[in-house]
Amino acid sequence: MADLSSLKDLASATETQAPVHVRKVDALGRSYATGKRKNAVARVWVKAGSGKIIVNGKDFSAYFARPVLQMILQQPVVAAARTGQFDVIATVAGGGLSGQAGAVRHGISKALTYFEPGLRSVLKKGGFLTRDSRVVERKKYGKAKARRSFQFSKR
């Protein structure tokens, strides 16, 4: 570079382009993703099918008995308007039921974008692709819980 005019040429040559999202499917026609929430980690496989959702070998309505958790699991598929088109198989470990439901939802969303990259904008707008980073705050010494102090008494 002899002078500053050559910088313009260098900048135009290295302009970055938007990332192209390609379809990631294995030999069996499934796409795989990992979902996380709190301390729960879910491994999720999505394939074209009749709309079954299986979590840890059970039907999702048997594994997640509360209707709120069942609704959380179905949110990405409903938002993408693909109800009854995909079979989901998930294994989830760690955390409680609420965290596990959130982890499976995150995994389903990511796997759907790998299976059908056109759904990415819809799922991103709905906030399904963002990993919810909120976790339980650790307990501090000199405190009853993370922030709660012991009861104060003057005498």
Side-chain angles (χ1 to χ4, degrees), residues 75-86 119 122-123:
Q75 280 179 334
V77 181
V78 171
R82 297 289 189 272
T83 309
Q85 296 181 18
F86 292 108
L119 297 176
V122 174
L123 293 172

Side-chain angles (χ1 to χ4, degrees), residues 23 25 28-31 45-54 77 81-89 112 115-116:
R23 191 168 190 247
V25 179
L28 298 173
R30 306 174 301 183
S31 61
W45 289 268
V46 169
K47 63 180 180 179
S50 60
K52 289 187 303 187
I53 300 176
I54 297 171
V77 181
R82 297 289 189 272
T83 309
Q85 296 181 18
F86 292 108
D87 286 346
V88 177
I89 298 157
L112 280 175
F115 195 90
E116 205 175 320

Side-chain angles (χ1 to χ4, degrees), residues 3 6 9 26 82 84 97 104 114 123 130-131 152:
D3 57 356
S6 60
D9 301 333
D26 65 4
R82 297 289 189 272
L97 284 178
V104 173
Y114 294 148
L123 293 172
T130 306
R131 196 262 199 226
F152 174 76

Side-chain angles (χ1 to χ4, degrees), residues 150-155:
F150 295 111
Q151 184 172 344
F152 174 76
S153 173
K154 203 170 207 177
R155 297 186 206 340

Side-chain angles (χ1 to χ4, degrees), residues 43-105:
R43 299 181 301 159
V44 180
W45 289 268
V46 169
K47 63 180 180 179
S50 60
K52 289 187 303 187
I53 300 176
I54 297 171
V55 180
N56 287 353
K58 296 180 182 176
D59 187 57
F60 81 102
S61 56
Y63 191 84
F64 296 110
R66 281 187 273 166
V68 173
L69 300 180
Q70 295 173 15
M71 182 213 41
I72 286 173
L73 240 65
Q74 294 172 320
Q75 280 179 334
V77 181
V78 171
R82 297 289 189 272
T83 309
Q85 296 181 18
F86 292 108
D87 286 346
V88 177
I89 298 157
T91 57
V92 62
L97 284 178
S98 173
Q100 288 186 351
V104 173
R105 179 181 92 158

